[in-house]
Amino acid sequence: MKLICAPMATLSHPASRILIEKFGGCDEYFNEMINAPSLLHGGMFEKYYINPAPCPQKVVWQLTSKNAESCIEAAEKLCSLGGIGIDLNMGCCAPDIVRSGAGISWMLKPLEETEKLVSGVKSVLQEYEKNFLEHRRLSVKCRLGDADFTDESFFSFTDMLVSNGVGLISLHPRTKKENYRDKPRWEYAQKLYERYHGKVEVYVNGDVFDIQSFKKVREACPDCSGVMIARAIVQKPWLFKQLDNFQKGKSEPFTVDMLSLALDFIDDVVRYQPPEFYKTRLQRFFTYFCMNFSFSHYAQTQMINAKDVEDSKNRIRSYFEKVPQDRYKNVDD
């Protein structure tokens, strides 16, 4: 199975990819959502969202918008940036995204309206391939639908995607209102594969955070092409290396210098993000990364309350001075 880094707001950026690549990387990196209207209007931060470093060939550009027209036009611009292809976000359930008519709202709109978006973006990718002889994949990331979804409504939606040339469906098998306490229905990813007999790739997303959970999802979805991981890879940037070793039947224990990793990440945030983003990017990252520490809540609080970049560096150094046994983490299979 391919190993995929999920799109995550404030986290799927070059600094995170560089961190993961230190441990061998993964097969694909989905970028954090790009707001199509902002991209088209030359928003001041858009150049940071479309920086594919350090591995442009592995990046998938994820688009979001409340209307089809802006996504179609933005797709034309993104085609020239390289990468694997374009992903349409039809699964985000953040209240502000849903209220705007984007994210999972596309699953709840009249099917013809969503089909207009999908077919329009597919036409852009086909035209690009015709003119430049470079293929760009069209994918959709979605959920099961609203709380009252049925198999009929879900598969009617995915039938429309496949009939309009979508080459990959990434499924987070929860409904709009189900949160992370609800068990994902991984079996729906397997059902997607069986319905289309391999005509479309299927990635399964949700609740994979170690080798044991990876084994379970492989058992539930043996024919899926890949497993997509989000928060767990922020906490453990070496997780893809562990899973890759497991798939290859290798045992390769290693040691991680947690202080060096944290300081390098901070430097890369400064290198690849605008100053306006430093605080939120560091806060979000350390919320997860500090879960590795013996005194995780204390460490999280310290890092979240850091005043600036230098304060972040000083606080992480101070933590390891107080808890030196946490600095070097031994990772095994």
Side-chain angles (χ1 to χ4, degrees), residues 46-275:
E46 300 316 303
K47 66 180 179 180
Y48 299 100
Y49 286 101
I50 60 175
N51 185 332
C55 40
Q57 73 281 6
K58 294 184 182 181
V59 171
V60 179
W61 305 109
Q62 189 181 77
L63 270 175
T64 185
S65 178
K66 66 180 181 181
N67 62 72
E69 292 76 15
S70 59
C71 266
I72 293 168
E73 190 176 346
E76 295 178 5
K77 185 168 185 175
L78 290 174
C79 272
S80 63
L81 299 182
I84 293 170
I86 291 176
D87 184 72
L88 299 176
N89 184 313
M90 297 187 183
C92 181
C93 296
D96 56 334
I97 297 294
V98 176
R99 281 194 297 269
S100 75
I104 198 171
S105 297
W106 285 104
M107 293 192 74
L108 312 178
K109 295 177 182 181
L111 203 58
E112 314 80 63
E113 187 176 346
T114 306
E115 185 170 22
K116 178 183 175 184
L117 165 61
V118 177
S119 63
V121 173
K122 181 62 179 179
S123 294
V124 167
L125 303 188
Q126 289 175 324
E127 185 67 17
Y128 183 85
E129 182 170 0
K130 176 183 174 183
N131 293 333
F132 298 98
L133 304 179
E134 292 181 355
H135 177 70
R136 297 285 186 268
R137 183 186 67 197
L138 175 59
S139 60
V140 168
K141 190 170 189 293
C142 63
R143 290 195 173 218
L144 294 172
D146 215 338
D148 61 352
F149 94 99
T150 62
D151 281 20
E152 182 181 3
S153 64
F154 174 66
F155 289 118
S156 175
F157 177 80
T158 60
D159 285 349
M160 179 275 292
L161 298 180
V162 174
S163 67
N164 281 279
V166 169
L168 162 71
I169 298 173
S170 299
L171 180 65
H172 185 158
R174 290 184 170 101
T175 64
K176 176 185 172 185
K177 293 189 176 181
E178 286 177 330
N179 56 35
Y180 295 110
R181 290 188 298 273
D182 297 293
K183 190 177 184 297
R185 283 168 268 197
W186 289 330
E187 66 273 15
Y188 273 91
Q190 180 65 20
K191 288 179 181 180
L192 279 177
Y193 174 86
E194 292 170 358
R195 185 175 183 88
Y196 305 115
H197 305 290
K199 280 176 54 180
V200 60
E201 282 193 283
V202 179
Y203 293 167
V204 59
N205 176 213
D207 287 22
V208 175
F209 47 84
D210 58 15
I211 291 175
Q212 291 305 313
S213 54
F214 181 67
K215 287 180 181 177
K216 290 179 181 177
V217 80
R218 290 209 317 177
E219 290 169 2
C221 312
D223 294 309
C224 286
S225 301
V227 170
M228 181 178 276
I229 301 177
R231 296 169 299 159
I233 201 63
V234 184
Q235 178 187 348
K236 300 179 283 188
W238 53 83
L239 179 57
F240 286 134
K241 179 181 176 71
Q242 287 182 285
L243 298 181
D244 185 55
N245 284 343
F246 168 73
Q247 292 199 104
K248 293 176 178 175
K250 293 167 54 178
S251 179
E252 192 177 59
F254 55 94
T255 301
V256 179
D257 183 340
M258 302 295 278
L259 175 59
S260 294
L261 215 59
L263 293 175
D264 285 351
F265 179 81
I266 294 171
D267 286 340
D268 285 329
V269 166
V270 172
R271 185 173 295 115
Y272 289 100
Q273 298 287 283

